[in-house]
Amino acid sequence: MKLSIQAVSNVGCYRENNEDMILVGHEFVRDGSYKEEADLTTVNRYLTALADGMGGHSSGEVASSDVLHNLDFFFGDIPAGLDVTDFNEAIYEWLNSINSIIDSKSHSDQRYHTMGTTLVAFAYYGSEFYWMNCGDSRVYWMHENQLKQLSTDHSLNTLMGSTEHTNLITNCIGGGCKTSYIDIATCTSLVHAGDTFMLCSDGLTDMLDDEEIENLLRRDASAADLCQAAIDAGGYDNVSICIIKIV
């Protein structure tokens, strides 16, 4: 099995800087694009992740970068042979650690006060696939031309039972959140040749609804195509998209 991956991260039309970042394998993407073919028969782990930073001035971009660089190192250092339960526990231990690091940095330097970031990821470890979510960035699955959101937005609207998106999030890494948590689920049974998984920041989903995204993916739109569609629709926020096709 192989993964064909496209990643695009764009500042959008109104923001002064890009606080999003994408990790593909060991490549970091911000204000640019990247493509990679990953042959899973030659490795025992592989990671794609996306972080949408928040905070005043440039602190959001620092938070997203710090979290993804730390996760890249941690994921590569996880011992081989962990079962699903032990892998989940390892990710939770990492979350507690990085949340403390971001929180400490925000208190030690006023420039980084209240900085934080969301995180979504699609990971292969051992013989299992996982998706993860902390915040309101999203993980989608496209199967037989039907798009489904796998992640649940950690937002005020979700708590109130609304499906509409809001920028008022209830969970993130840092950002003054003392009890961060991460949704993590195995999705090996969902991985079929021809399927697509997509990670994205709310810069995409605030501009395009799920039906519009589904229609574009049905026409084999690239990550760059989706990014451009969000920009054409207004581009009010940073736009970051990672498309993972199962080959």
Side-chain angles (χ1 to χ4, degrees):
M1 184 176 290
K2 295 181 180 180
L3 305 180
S4 178
I5 304 162
Q6 309 167 19
V8 173
S9 182
N10 189 288
V11 68
C13 300
Y14 293 94
R15 297 296 180 94
E16 293 183 358
N17 61 315
N18 190 352
E19 297 182 306
D20 292 358
M21 180 174 275
I22 304 172
L23 170 65
V24 179
H26 299 291
E27 188 73 21
F28 298 91
V29 184
R30 172 179 282 158
D31 295 321
S33 61
Y34 180 72
K35 294 181 180 180
E36 183 166 296
E37 301 287 328
D39 186 352
L40 301 185
T41 64
T42 64
V43 296
N44 67 359
R45 67 192 68 194
Y46 191 84
L47 178 67
T48 58
L50 183 151
D52 180 352
M54 64 198 76
H57 304 294
S58 63
S59 59
E61 65 188 59
V62 173
S64 58
S65 177
D66 283 0
V67 165
L68 289 187
H69 279 84
N70 190 287
L71 179 59
D72 178 41
F73 176 81
F74 174 85
F75 186 76
D77 211 37
I78 295 176
L82 299 185
D83 61 18
V84 171
T85 300
D86 289 339
F87 179 81
N88 289 359
E89 290 180 356
I91 295 298
Y92 263 97
E93 289 176 3
W94 170 79
L95 177 67
N96 291 333
S97 173
I98 189 60
N99 199 48
S100 296
I101 291 171
I102 296 297
D103 187 61
S104 296
K105 193 168 185 176
S106 70
H107 284 91
S108 63
D109 192 326
Q110 187 62 31
R111 293 176 300 170
Y112 306 134
H113 181 60
T114 71
M115 77 174 181
T117 184
T118 68
L119 176 72
V120 286
F122 178 79
Y124 173 73
Y125 169 85
S127 58
E128 299 284 352
F129 290 90
Y130 300 81
W131 65 261
M132 309 174 205
N133 174 52
C134 177
D136 67 342
S137 296
R138 293 181 177 179
V139 182
Y140 285 92
W141 173 49
M142 184 85 165
H143 175 66
E144 295 181 347
N145 284 329
Q146 300 296 314
L147 185 69
K148 179 181 180 180
Q149 182 181 342
L150 297 179
S151 59
T152 299
D153 295 352
H154 299 158
S155 67
L156 182 60
N157 273 12
T158 300
L159 288 177
M160 299 299 289
S162 172
T163 57
E164 293 184 6
H165 180 257
T166 174
N167 289 325
L168 298 174
I169 64 174
T170 57
N171 181 42
C172 63
I173 300 174
C177 190
K178 301 295 185 181
T179 56
S180 296
Y181 61 93
I182 189 166
D183 295 336
I184 177 170
T186 56
C187 56
T188 309
S189 63
L190 305 182
V191 177
H192 311 99
D195 284 3
T196 296
F197 289 82
M198 183 179 75
L199 314 177
C200 65
S201 64
D202 59 3
L204 174 68
T205 52
D206 280 350
M207 296 293 98
L208 305 177
D209 62 28
D210 285 5
E211 183 178 357
E212 291 173 304
I213 295 171
E214 181 181 84
N215 287 335
L216 285 167
L217 290 174
R218 282 179 175 178
R219 299 198 293 269
D220 201 30
S222 65
D225 294 332
L226 287 168
C227 181
Q228 188 60 52
I231 290 172
D232 291 343
Y236 297 136
D237 199 355
N238 306 149
V239 185
S240 294
I241 302 152
C242 184
I243 291 178
I244 304 129
K245 293 186 177 182
I246 311 300
V247 181

